[in-house]
Amino acid sequence: MSAFPRICIVGAGFTGSVIAERIASDAGMPVLVIDRRRHIGGNSWSEIDAETGVEFHKYGSHIFHTSEQEVWKYISQFTRFNDYRHHVWSMCGGHVYAMPVNLSTINSFYGLALTPDEAREFITREAARDGRAEAANLEEKAVSLIGRPLYEAFIRGYTAKQWEKDPKELPPDIITRLPVRYTYDTRYFSDIWEGIPLDGYVGLFRKLSAHPLIEVRLGMDFADLRDSLSEAALIYTGAIDEYFGFRLGRLEWRTVDFEVERPACADFQGTAVMNYADPDIPHTRIHEFKHFHPERQDTGKTLIFREYSRWACKGDEAYYPVDTAANRRLYADYAALAAHEAPDVVFCGRLGQYAYMDMDDAVAAALHCYTNTVRPRLLDA
Ligand code: UDP
């Protein structure tokens, strides 16, 4: 491949890797993918821990789930998935409850044995005490869905740790990510398809970028290569404010720190993710990765990550965009600058669009971006 490729993708996460795969396989064009990290896969990357033999998700638990047939069909070309179904438990006041809120959570929390209809009526009455028809923020939305006692127990403390904002300042849609169920279905997600790649995300990303027309260069910062790429069309999946040198200010991100431990037991918590709802416990959750692969031989060892949430500072990994009016305004200003870079630069992905995306959202958006923007604008031109 020439030193000056016609198309360069910045970022080797889901967005960049899917668009690269499409450019190579569908358009038959060469493409260069660069990433400042030393691995592909973005925040979905997984690897095997040498000490325990357990595959871990370097940036916290990633469970692939979708109800989009196009996404499932597309991604299944590059991996098979195991039968893992995500179930989360929440530690609250010294007791363990099923999360998200379902009939088991309600009955255990209140010490009742309600039927589905009784529970629905019970929660409707609870919510009517101080719920509002038009919920304007996360707290009002949560209270309207599950009533104040369950909100106080499972949502308020966790959300305060996760976002360090008053739940009244956060948008309602953060909480509507979680279903409320009046059954004993304790699945975390309600999607049709779900699983963990059988060969890990490492296997998935290797296949996704295996096409001979794709060249991946790792450990390469876009800032250092910018001048040499001036002739290339760019698909930029990095942070949009960074692209513009933060000239309008910094978009806020939440980041997480992981405390890694290899406890001297074969199984630390009996499940992949345990949330910690109480505000006086500093971590939000503990990940125990071996549970993501029940189909694999048990190594008799385990590896856990305690997750702590905080504001991202310069140089930190960006995890969650913070959906406030100020950030939305700032992003809109950057998006207006980005529009002036067209047609030669396409901004996309979680970091490029300042969006809270699950992996399937990222794949769907990347496929859409390729078909509707990249191909007509950069390839068919
Ligand atoms: N949440 C909560 N308690 C929980 C789990 C989630 O309050 O036990 C809230 C919290 O505000 C969180 C949001 O629900 O940010 C969405 O949770 P989800 O598990 O989808 O977040 P992610 O896995 O993306 O961090």
Side-chain angles (χ1 to χ4, degrees):
M1 191 176 290
S2 86
F4 298 100
R6 192 156 104 60
I7 305 170
C8 175
I9 298 181
V10 180
F14 262 112
T15 302
S17 301
V18 167
I19 296 177
E21 189 282 328
R22 291 289 70 208
I23 291 172
S25 301
D26 182 67
M29 303 259 307
V31 56
L32 170 67
V33 182
I34 61 168
D35 201 299
R36 62 160 69 118
R37 290 177 176 166
R38 303 230 162 250
H39 63 75
I40 50 177
N43 279 9
S44 310
W45 181 247
S46 65
E47 59 192 62
I48 305 274
D49 175 50
E51 270 183 56
T52 58
V54 171
E55 180 150 1
F56 66 98
H57 302 170
K58 190 173 160 77
Y59 303 90
S61 294
H62 279 71
I63 302 100
F64 200 93
H65 56 98
T66 190
S67 292
E68 293 287 327
Q69 188 163 29
E70 187 196 5
V71 168
W72 186 250
K73 224 172 125 185
Y74 174 79
I75 211 69
S76 298
Q77 297 174 83
F78 308 100
T79 186
R80 284 171 56 221
F81 288 87
N82 68 8
D83 292 331
Y84 178 79
R85 295 290 173 270
H86 198 39
H87 295 263
V88 173
W89 302 90
S90 182
M91 184 78 78
C92 175
H95 295 276
V96 175
Y97 300 90
M99 197 62 200
V101 170
N102 60 71
L103 197 49
S104 160
T105 324
I106 296 166
N107 279 333
S108 305
F109 183 76
Y110 287 102
L112 297 170
L114 302 175
T115 65
D117 285 346
E118 288 167 351
R120 202 182 290 274
E121 274 172 38
F122 179 82
I123 294 296
T124 305
R125 275 200 306 277
E126 283 294 319
R129 281 185 216 274
D130 57 353
R132 289 166 197 242
E134 278 296 307
N137 57 56
L138 192 155
E139 175 167 313
E140 288 177 12
K141 186 72 194 175
V143 170
S144 76
L145 288 171
I146 55 176
R148 187 159 290 276
L150 287 167
Y151 163 74
E152 300 280 346
F154 296 107
I155 309 297
R156 195 165 75 164
Y158 186 97
T159 297
K161 288 190 282 186
Q162 164 87 21
W163 297 98
E164 264 182 273
K165 285 224 183 268
D166 187 327
K168 292 193 195 77
E169 291 172 47
L170 291 165
D173 56 313
I174 293 181
I175 203 64
T176 47
R177 286 173 59 81
L178 307 184
V180 178
R181 297 201 191 97
Y182 292 96
T183 65
Y184 289 104
D185 175 0
T186 56
R187 277 182 66 192
Y188 202 66
F189 305 114
S190 307
D191 281 319
I192 300 172
W193 296 285
E194 181 177 349
I196 308 289
L198 273 178
D199 297 325
Y201 289 94
V202 42
L204 163 57
F205 277 97
R206 283 196 181 130
K207 274 212 166 148
L208 200 50
S209 46
H211 197 289
L213 288 172
I214 301 175
E215 183 188 350
V216 181
R217 295 191 205 164
L218 297 173
M220 295 227 163
D221 206 318
F222 171 63
D224 301 332
L225 292 179
R226 205 166 184 149
D227 292 340
S228 57
L229 291 169
S230 60
E231 299 293 309
L234 274 190
I235 296 155
Y236 182 85
T237 75
I240 191 167
D241 52 356
E242 187 178 348
Y243 179 92
F244 291 105
F246 303 103
R247 75 173 83 145
L248 305 177
R250 279 178 187 269
L251 287 161
E252 289 182 307
W253 288 90
R254 297 292 290 169
T255 193
V256 298
D257 294 319
F258 295 115
E259 199 176 84
V260 179
E261 199 185 315
R262 294 173 187 81
C265 59
D267 191 350
F268 178 75
Q269 62 183 15
T271 194
V273 177
M274 176 75 71
N275 286 356
Y276 285 79
D278 299 326
D280 53 328
I281 298 203
H283 46 273
T284 49
R285 50 190 169 186
I286 297 181
H287 310 259
E288 186 172 22
F289 297 98
K290 70 185 303 177
H291 296 290
F292 285 126
H293 287 285
E295 79 284 4
R296 290 187 183 169
Q297 175 115 37
D298 193 341
T299 62
K301 295 180 179 167
T302 196
L303 170 76
I304 62 166
F305 279 16
R306 266 190 198 82
E307 179 175 328
Y308 299 83
S309 183
R310 65 174 171 82
W311 290 107
C313 304
K314 202 173 160 200
D316 285 329
E317 299 294 353
Y319 275 76
Y320 299 95
V322 186
D323 188 5
T324 58
N327 285 322
R328 272 197 298 275
R329 267 196 308 275
L330 186 55
Y331 171 69
D333 292 342
Y334 275 119
L337 286 183
H340 291 298
E341 303 283 298
D344 294 330
V345 189
V346 175
F347 292 83
C348 50
R350 188 178 67 87
L351 298 164
Q353 295 179 296
Y354 196 60
Y356 192 162
M357 284 185 185
D358 288 340
M359 292 182 282
D360 65 324
D361 298 330
V363 172
L367 292 173
H368 187 268
C369 176
Y370 170 73
T371 306
N372 296 298
T373 306
V374 172
R375 196 167 59 191
R377 202 201 274 182
L378 304 179
L379 306 179
D380 296 341

